[in-house]
Amino acid sequence: MEIEADMKRYDVIVVGAGPIGSTAARYAAMNGARTLMVEDHSSIGSPVGCTGLLSTRAVSECDVEPSDDFVFNSVRGAFVHPMNGDRLPIDGKKTKAYVVSRKMFDRQLGAMALGEDVDLWLNTRATGIETSGKIQRLSVIREGRTETIEANVIIAADGVRSRIAKMAGLGNVSKVLPGIQAEVPYRSDDTDFVELFVGSQVPGFFGWTVPVNESISRVGMAVDPKYGINAHEVLEELLINNKHVASRYGGGKLDLVMGGIPLGPLEKTYSDGVIVVGDAAGQVKPTSGGGIYTGAVCAKIAGEVAAKAVSEENSSSNFLSEYDKRWRGKIGKELSMGMRIHNFIGGLEDSELDELIGSMNDPAILDTITRYGDMDHPSILIKKMLHPSRSVHMLKVFRAFAKAVL
C-alpha cells in the first residue's frame, strides 16, 4: 500500500525503494531526518532483477533474520565445473547463503523503512534535479502528474543506470555485464550446493544453477560484453548443450529475469546535495556480482551522513565527502582486490583455468577453502591460498596470480 505524504518538503529523499534504498531511507530516518522514498514502479520488489542468492552476512547486514517469509532454501557450498576435468566440490560445512524470494525480501525491508516513519511514493519517476542554495529540488512524474519536491539531500539508489547520478554529474558505472536467469525444472544433485560453470562456456564471468528445491533451480549467467555475445544465446547454450545441465534440465522456463552487473565503483559517489549508493555507485563484488551486502554497508553510512548533513545544515560536496571516505574505508580494498581477481580469472585460457581448478582439488586446499572461504571477503581466502606450499603443482599459477592480484 502506498503511503501518502502530507507535504512536499523533506530533509532527505531516497530515489529507489529496493533493499539498498530502503536501508538508506531507514537509517536516515533513524538518525532524525524526515525522509521520503520514491519508487519508479507500482510496487516494491517488482520487477526482479537478481539471482536471489544472499549470503548470510548480507541478510544480517540488512538487519533481518532469515525466515520462511522469504527464504526458500539454504546452501552451504558450490560445485565448480571447469570446461574439462572433474568438478571442484567446495563445502562450507554450514549455511553460507539463502535462496530467497527477492520480492518478499525487498518488501520486508521496505516495511521496516515505513516503520521508521519513512514516507513512500510509488509510480514516481525522478526526471530532474535543480539546486537552489542549500536545497535540492527533485522533479518527478507521479502517477502522470509533474511535481517538485524539496530536500537537503538526495540519495540515489536507483540502480545500475542511475538517472540521479548522471543528473548530478557523477556519471554511470562504465562496465556493466548483461545477465539473464531462468527459473526452470531442474533435478539438482544436492540442494545444499549451487553449481558454477566457468571458462569459455560463459565468457568473461560464469554461469550458475541455484536450487530453489529438489525439482526447480534458477539457471543463469552473465557475460562480458567485449566478447560481443548475446546473453540469452549463451543461456540457451548452457541449458541445451552443456551435458551436465542438459541431463538435469526438464525443459521450459517458469520465469525469466534480466539485469546488469556493474563492475567497479564510480570515481566519486557524492556531489552537492547528492549521495550515490548501491548498484548506482558500483558497490558490487566483482568476483560474484553480489551487491546486497556491500550495498547495505554503504546504505547505512549514506543514511547516517545524510541525516548529519541535515542536522548541521551543511549538504555541500565537501561535507558529504565523509560518506565516500567511510564506505571506501570499509569495503574499498575488498572491491579493488575483487576486480583484480576478476580480471586475472578472465584472462586465463580454458586450459589454464582447468589446471587451476584441478590443482585445487586437493584435500589440504579444500580444507583451507572450507576454513577461510567467505563470499563477501574473498581476499581472506586468496591470501591464504597464495602460499606456494599449498600445492607444488600450482606453483606457476600461484606466481602469476600473485603478480596480477597483489
Side-chain angles (χ1 to χ4, degrees):
M1 183 177 71
E2 182 174 356
I3 305 299
E4 292 287 338
D6 58 11
M7 62 181 296
K8 294 183 181 179
R9 173 73 173 86
Y10 286 85
D11 296 328
V12 175
I13 300 172
V14 179
V15 181
I20 308 309
S22 290
T23 300
R26 177 162 55 92
Y27 269 72
M30 287 168 58
N31 284 275
R34 178 167 172 77
T35 304
L36 170 68
M37 189 162 53
V38 300
E39 169 57 40
D40 197 356
H41 300 97
S42 60
S43 64
I44 290 179
S46 297
V48 174
C50 170
T51 303
L53 181 70
L54 305 183
S55 70
T56 55
R57 187 182 282 106
V59 173
S60 176
E61 191 66 33
C62 291
D63 302 324
V64 298
E65 293 292 330
S67 94
D68 291 342
D69 292 339
F70 61 84
V71 174
F72 291 139
N73 186 28
S74 60
V75 298
R76 71 171 199 259
F79 297 126
V80 183
H81 294 260
M83 288 296 293
N84 300 286
D86 296 332
R87 71 184 185 184
L88 176 69
I90 299 174
D91 190 347
K93 302 296 185 183
K94 61 182 180 180
T95 297
K96 294 291 186 178
Y98 301 106
V99 183
V100 306
S101 163
R102 272 294 305 272
K103 179 178 178 180
M104 299 310 297
F105 179 75
D106 289 16
R107 288 186 178 183
Q108 181 162 333
L109 294 184
M112 290 166 61
L114 270 56
E116 296 293 341
D117 293 327
V118 172
D119 286 343
L120 170 64
W121 290 5
L122 299 174
N123 286 320
T124 303
R125 172 169 292 197
T127 58
I129 299 175
E130 179 185 342
T131 301
S132 177
K134 297 180 180 180
I135 299 300
Q136 303 298 315
R137 291 197 175 99
L138 181 69
S139 299
V140 302
I141 298 176
R142 184 187 184 199
E143 297 181 343
R145 301 188 307 272
T146 299
E147 300 187 33
T148 301
I149 327 162
E150 293 185 344
N152 297 77
V153 179
I154 296 172
I155 298 177
D158 51 340
V160 63
R161 296 299 186 193
S162 171
R163 291 191 296 271
I164 299 300
K166 195 170 183 180
M167 292 173 196
L170 298 171
N172 291 138
V173 176
S174 59
K175 184 172 184 178
V176 179
L177 305 185
I180 186 170
Q181 174 179 273
E183 197 162 275
V184 302
Y186 188 87
R187 178 175 48 81
S188 179
D189 289 348
D190 189 331
T191 58
D192 287 339
F193 290 79
V194 300
E195 297 174 312
L196 304 178
F197 301 88
V198 299
S200 60
Q201 57 191 330
V202 186
F205 207 57
F206 61 86
W208 60 82
T209 72
V210 175
V212 177
N213 54 42
E214 294 84 355
S215 58
I216 296 175
S217 285
R218 296 167 180 169
V219 181
M221 39 65 57
V223 296
D224 194 317
K226 73 179 182 181
Y227 292 98
I229 301 173
N230 181 277
H232 193 277
E233 292 175 0
V234 178
L235 176 62
E236 291 299 321
E237 185 78 12
L238 187 67
L239 286 169
I240 303 302
N241 293 328
N242 181 289
K243 291 182 179 179
H244 176 86
V245 175
S247 66
R248 291 156 178 78
Y249 174 42
K253 297 180 180 66
L254 306 173
D255 188 36
L256 187 68
V257 298
M258 291 173 281
I261 299 174
L263 292 186
L266 293 177
E267 183 177 338
K268 184 180 175 186
T269 57
Y270 63 95
S271 66
D272 287 326
V274 177
I275 287 172
V276 187
V277 69
D279 283 8
Q283 294 159 340
V284 171
K285 294 173 290 184
T287 49
S288 69
I292 301 299
Y293 167 68
T294 47
V297 168
C298 299
K300 291 178 177 181
I301 298 170
E304 291 170 359
V305 171
K308 183 179 177 182
V310 172
S311 66
E312 299 195 16
E313 299 183 354
N314 186 352
S315 57
S316 67
S317 176
N318 184 58
F319 188 91
L320 296 182
S321 68
E322 177 187 337
Y323 159 71
D324 198 272
K325 293 171 185 174
R326 284 178 59 187
W327 81 253
R328 290 185 197 275
K330 279 228 174 187
I331 65 167
K333 288 183 179 179
E334 196 68 46
L335 294 185
S336 179
M337 171 71 84
M339 183 60 77
R340 281 178 281 173
I341 293 170
H342 168 81
N343 290 337
F344 173 78
I345 296 296
L348 294 178
E349 300 291 336
D350 282 344
S351 59
E352 295 172 318
L353 194 51
D354 291 345
E355 179 186 5
L356 175 65
I357 292 171
S359 298
M360 293 171 70
N361 223 332
D362 171 272
I365 293 178
L366 291 174
D367 179 66
T368 301
I369 295 173
T370 296
R371 291 173 61 192
Y372 298 105
D374 189 320
M375 290 176 64
D376 299 307
H377 297 280
S379 64
I380 297 172
L381 174 63
I382 293 301
K383 289 174 182 177
K384 294 290 181 182
M385 294 285 290
L386 281 175
H387 197 290
S389 65
R390 297 283 178 191
S391 173
V392 175
H393 181 58
M394 290 185 68
L395 185 57
K396 183 178 179 180
V397 178
F398 275 143
R399 284 175 174 165
F401 192 73
K403 184 178 179 180
V405 173
L406 296 182

